């Protein structure tokens, strides 16, 4: 069977939706891709790459944001470079929506992606966003650690340094 964590992940990424006691695929194209891939028995990275392509296609056809599931599947498909921008955009949107737990998950993936493929600015921004979500969740020590990591990444521009310093101020205020 499927673990509770796995099920939560599928629901959070929008692959599945729950209606009462019934679970269903959210989009037919995702369901068809999953079925085709399950029949062929490809490797896991290939499945994730194909699902990422389906999410991108859905975004292009409908105009809806699929940055989180696209970025998640790109990461799991071993394409950190392509995942990074999607995960940063998803994290920003999730913070704006007040979905801070999911934003923290997305930002953690963004850090992983940026560390594998990104430059200093991408690595700093992913950490800043993760810290922002953690501040909202009142996890001040973890947020402070991420901000200090970001400040240590060179080179750093003035705007990024100012945003990170503001984050440290928010941590200090939160700690009291």
């Amino acid at each position: 069977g499927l673990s509770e964590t796995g099920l939560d992940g599928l629901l959070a990424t929008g692959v599945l939706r729950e209606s009462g006691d019934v679970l269903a695929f959210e989009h037919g194209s995702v369901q068809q891709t999953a079925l085709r891939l399950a029949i062929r028995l490809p490797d896991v990275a290939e499945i994730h790459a194909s699902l990422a392509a389906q999410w991108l296609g859905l975004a292009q056809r409908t105009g809806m944001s699929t940055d989180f599931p696209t970025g998640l599947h790109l990461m799991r498909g071993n394409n950190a470079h392509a995942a990074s921008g999607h995960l940063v955009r998803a994290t920003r949107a999730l913070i704006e929506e007040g979905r801070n737990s999911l934003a923290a998950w997305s930002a953690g993936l963004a850090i992983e992606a940026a560390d594998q493929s990104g430059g200093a600015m991408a690595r700093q921004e992913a950490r800043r966003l993760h810290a922002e979500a953690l501040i909202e969740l009142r996890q001040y020590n973890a947020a402070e650690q991420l901000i200090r990591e970001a400040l240590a990444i060179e080179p750093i521009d003035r705007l990024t340094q100012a945003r990170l310093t503001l984050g440290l101020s928010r941590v200090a205020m939160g700690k009291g």
Side-chain angles (χ1 to χ4, degrees):
L2 187 60
S3 71
E4 187 173 328
T5 303
L7 178 59
D8 286 345
L10 291 173
L11 290 167
T13 60
V15 172
L16 292 177
R17 68 177 149 73
E18 190 172 15
S19 178
D21 291 336
V22 177
L23 294 174
F25 281 93
E26 185 61 38
H27 303 286
S29 61
V30 174
Q31 178 183 14
Q32 291 303 316
T33 298
L35 290 173
R36 269 196 321 275
L37 291 172
I39 291 168
R40 279 194 322 102
L41 298 174
D43 69 16
V44 172
E46 185 181 351
I47 291 170
H48 283 293
S50 183
L51 287 169
Q54 289 298 316
W55 281 110
L56 271 174
L58 180 66
Q60 291 167 350
R61 288 189 307 277
T62 65
M64 70 183 267
S65 172
T66 64
D67 281 323
F68 181 69
T70 299
L72 174 68
H73 289 295
L74 286 168
M75 274 302 293
R76 298 302 180 240
N78 299 320
N79 192 346
H81 182 73
S84 184
H86 289 284
L87 292 166
V88 166
R89 282 191 302 276
T91 302
R92 285 188 188 122
L94 291 164
I95 290 170
E96 287 176 18
E97 294 167 9
R99 299 172 67 192
N100 296 306
S101 292
L102 191 54
W105 181 23
S106 179
L109 291 168
I111 289 170
E112 186 181 336
D115 284 353
Q116 289 179 32
S117 67
M121 287 184 73
R123 295 176 62 224
Q124 293 158 348
E125 181 66 359
R127 282 168 174 76
R128 185 189 71 77
L129 289 169
H130 196 175
E132 188 174 332
L134 292 175
I135 289 168
E136 295 301 320
L137 294 169
R138 294 182 163 82
Q139 295 179 19
Y140 302 115
N141 291 333
E144 182 178 7
Q145 180 181 345
L146 285 163
I147 293 168
R148 293 199 184 284
E149 284 176 18
L151 285 166
I153 298 169
E154 298 283 338
I156 188 167
D157 63 52
R158 285 186 190 166
L159 179 59
T160 300
Q161 189 163 16
R163 287 178 173 161
L164 291 167
T165 302
L166 178 62
L168 285 176
S169 297
R170 288 184 65 208
V171 164
M173 289 180 1
K175 287 181 173 182

